[in-house]
Amino acid sequence: MSLLVVGLSHRSAPVSVLERAALNADAQTKLIQDTVAAEPATEAAVLATCNRIELYADVDKFHAGVAELSTLLAQHSGVGLEELTPYLYVHYEDRAVHHLFSVACGLDSMVVGEGQILGQIKDSLARTQELHTAGKLLNDLFQQALRVGKRAHSETGIDRAGQSLVTFGLEQLAAGGDVREWALGRTALVIGAGSMSSLAAATLARAGVAEVVVANRTFERAERLAQILTESDENTVTARAVPMDAVAAELTRADVVVSCTGATGLVLTAEAVAQAVEGRTGAPAAEIARTPVQAKAPLTHAADENCPLDLAAAQPGFSLMGEAAVAGMDAATLEQHAAWVAGSTIDRRERRTPEADAELITALAATAATVGRIPERRRPEPVAERPAPSVFLLDLAMPRDIDAAVHRLAGVRLVDIESLAEASADAPMAADVDQVRRIVSDEVAAFGAAQRAAHITPTVVALRSMAAEVVAGEIARLDGRLPDLDERQRGEIRQAVHRVVDKLLHAPTVRVKQLAAEPGGAGYADALRTLFDLDSETVAAVSRAGDSTDKKDRPA
C-alpha cells in the first residue's frame, strides 16, 4: 500500500473555486467514509482549511487511486470534475509525506510560518480516528507531521515570517523611520479579513493608529475582525467594519491602506486611488515626472512590422520581449507577440533567449485567458522629484490587489509584494525558511526509513515465532526420548537451543531491517517469506495485532 494525496489550495486554484469546493464537517465525514469504501483505498483522511482541501489515502493502485480520489472530491464539493481537475495537485509516497510536513511547518500557507495549521491537522487526525478510517500509515503520518511542525517552530524563527512580512512592509511605507511614530494617530483601511489582513490590522493597532476600518466581501468576517480589534487589551484603537462598496468613500479618509484579498482582478485601480487623493486634497492627482533613462545599448530589431508592440513608444531600457513589455496585453495579442518573438532576431544583449521569452509569453497568454489580465510587473520608474506622500498603500496580495500604475501618482507611496521580495531578499525570514526546509527533508527521509523498516517487522516477528515453535517441538521430542533428565538438565538444554537459534537469527534479522529501511528495500520482506516458507496469513495476523496495539497506545 502507498500514500496518495489529491487536493487543491490557494497555490493551485482561485479563491472562487476554493469557496465553491469548501466542505463542511458533515461533508468531510461523508467524503472520508466514501473514500475507504472505494476499492483502491484502505485508509483516508481529509485536511480542510479556508485555503486548502486535501484528501489523503493509503491506496494499492496509483492511477486508479488518483481517478477515484479526484472523482470523490468533485462529487462531494459540488464542483464538476472537468472544472476541478485543472486545479488539482497529486503527491505520491515520499512526495506526499514531504507535502504534509511542509504544510505542518507553515511553508505552504498564505502566511508563511503560521501556526494555526497545526491545530487543523490535529483536528483532522482526531476526526479520522473517531471514524476509524486511519490505520497505521495515516496515524503515523499525521502524528509525525504534528511533531515536525512543532520542531520547526521551536528550532527556527519560521513563526515570525508572516509577522516579518507585514512589519517589513510597514517599515518600507515609513521609509525606514520608526513605524510607531509614523503610524501614530493615522486612520487605516484594511481590505480583506483573512489571516494576513488580520495580522496587518492587529499590527497597525499595536503601532498606534487611531482607527482601523475593515472592508471585506463577506461583511460578517469584517465585523468579526473589527470586534476582535476593539476588544483586544493590547491597544486602544477604534475599529469598525464596512462593506466592499464603501471602499471608495473610505479611501478619501484613510491615511494608510493595506489590501490582501483573494481577488483575481484589481481591487484598487490607479483611477480609484487618484480620485481618493483628489477627494483628500481638492486637487487632481497628477502623474509624477519621470527621469529620463538612458538605455545601455540601443535595442535593434530585424523584422518589427509584425510586432504588435508600438516600438516607438517602448520605454528605453526595457526588453521588447520581456514581461514588462507585454503587461496589459490581451490573450490574442500576447499569442501574436509570442509568434513574432519566436521568429525575430532582436539583439537584446541579454542572457535570455528568444525561445525562452516566447515560452514565457505563451504562458502569460494562457494566464490572460484564464484571469482576464496580466499583472504589471514593471518596477516604478525613477523620478526627478516625488512630493511627500499623503496616502500610503501596502499591497500584500498575489496576484496584486492594487494597480502598479499607482507608483506614478504624486502624493502616494505604494509598497507591494514585488518590491518587498526585492528589498527583503536577505531578510532573516529567508534563512528561517531555508532551515525549515532542511528539517522537512531530514524528517521525510527518517519517516520513509521508519516506514520501510516497519513494513518488514511483521515478517521478522513471524520468522522468530516459527523458530520458537520449531524449538518447542524439538524440546518436546527430546523430553520423550530422554525421560530420565532432571529439570535442571532440561533447562540447560532448552536455554542452549534457544541461544543457538537466537544467535543464528540475530545478524540476518538486524541486517534485513537495515536494508529494508533504505530506498528500494521493500523486497526484503518478500525474500524472507520465500526463503523461510513463511505463511503470508501468519505475517498478516502479526501485522493486524501490531496495528491493534498501536491504536490502543495512541494519544487522543
Side-chain angles (χ1 to χ4, degrees), residues 45-49 52-54 56 100 103 117 120-121 124 142:
V46 169
L47 178 58
T49 72
R52 75 177 64 250
I53 304 162
E54 296 178 343
Y56 291 78
L100 181 59
V103 169
I117 188 65
Q120 293 163 332
I121 291 174
S124 175
F142 275 69

Side-chain angles (χ1 to χ4, degrees), residues 462 466 529 532-541:
M466 184 190 73
R529 288 193 293 270
F532 290 93
D533 196 22
L534 296 175
D535 180 52
S536 57
E537 182 54 37
T538 301
V539 175

